[in-house]
Amino acid sequence: MSERSIAIGPILGISAAILAFLFWLIYFQTPASSSEEWVSVLPTMIACLNAMSASFLGVGFIAIKNGYKRLHIGMMISATTASALFLVCYIIYHHYAGDTKFLAEGIIRPIYFFILISHILLSMVVVPLILLTLWFAIRKYYDSHKKIAKWTFPIWMYVSVTGILVYLILNNFNTV
Ligand code: HEM
């Protein structure tokens, strides 16, 4: 196996472990119900971290397209940090809250589930994509970095923006 592809196995393994843990956390764990104020703030923090990821990603993309490599690196590391913090907040929130039921009726229902399901499916793909994109960049395999980043960038952006939309829809329509 070439040095370039040596990380693919471990990256897929780490991604699968994260996904299996999240699946268990959301659907099988008994939520440690809490009425603490700080837990109810977490969904807003999660949405803000998604907005930060999307903004850093956008600036990082424009930066590299204009030849600003240092700015690109800084923005992409910031986007990764915001997404990692998002994951921590998401895990803490779901430890207390379990899964969220969507109760609203009408046209918003199919719209919400389309956004939610596409968000979930693509978020599964984006974890290994981000790790591989970073790995190729760190190892200076810029040709592979550019090839995979063509997928990582739009999918990551979609997942971040739909994360904000899910939050906004839940806040505005799920008030029953
Ligand atoms: C996961 C986060 C990252 C994403 C999504 C990303 C995305 C991209 C994209 C879309 C391009 C332009 C590709 C093209 O023009 O076709 C690019 C190029 C580049 N990236 Fe990243 N990047 C990330 C992280 C990094 C990091 C951490 C570094 C440095 C350690 C880096 C260094 C570079 C360099 C040097 C180029 C230019 C390569 C060249 O033109 O030969 N990137 N990246």
Side-chain angles (χ1 to χ4, degrees):
M1 186 186 288
S2 73
E3 215 268 321
R4 188 175 295 234
S5 52
I6 204 152
I8 293 176
I11 283 175
L12 290 179
I14 292 168
S15 306
I18 294 174
L19 289 177
F21 173 69
L22 290 178
F23 192 68
W24 168 81
L25 182 79
I26 296 170
Y27 296 108
F28 292 101
Q29 174 242 181
T30 311
S33 73
S34 161
S35 53
E36 301 249 11
E37 181 85 24
W38 65 269
V39 175
S40 63
V41 173
L42 285 174
T44 308
M45 267 184 74
I46 288 170
C48 288
L49 287 165
N50 272 321
M52 286 167 73
S53 291
S55 310
F56 290 137
L57 266 178
V59 177
F61 182 76
I62 294 167
I64 199 65
K65 287 293 179 193
N66 288 284
Y68 297 109
K69 286 192 183 170
R70 288 176 69 95
L71 182 60
H72 171 69
I73 295 169
M75 286 296 121
M76 291 319 192
I77 291 173
S78 304
T80 309
T81 309
S83 286
L85 286 174
F86 151 82
L87 195 59
V88 171
C89 291
Y90 187 86
I91 288 170
I92 297 172
Y93 179 69
H94 283 284
H95 171 65
Y96 288 106
D99 63 334
T100 310
K101 303 272 178 291
F102 189 64
L103 303 170
E105 298 291 344
I107 187 68
I108 194 64
R109 218 175 155 75
I111 295 175
Y112 172 77
F113 280 108
F114 175 80
I115 294 175
L116 181 67
I117 291 166
S118 60
H119 171 82
I120 293 173
L121 291 177
L122 288 173
S123 66
M124 294 177 179
V125 180
V126 88
V127 176
L129 279 179
I130 294 173
L131 296 177
L132 268 177
T133 309
L134 285 173
W135 163 256
F136 288 139
I138 291 163
R139 301 300 300 173
K140 296 192 169 44
Y141 298 129
Y142 292 127
D143 51 341
S144 303
H145 175 72
K146 280 169 75 168
K147 266 187 209 149
I148 198 162
K150 281 196 173 70
W151 295 95
T152 312
F153 170 72
I155 294 177
W156 195 355
M157 188 59 104
Y158 182 88
V159 169
S160 300
V161 172
T162 49
I164 305 167
L165 291 178
V166 166
Y167 166 79
L168 290 175
I169 294 175
L170 282 176
N171 250 19
N172 289 290
F173 293 91
N174 208 23
T175 50
V176 192

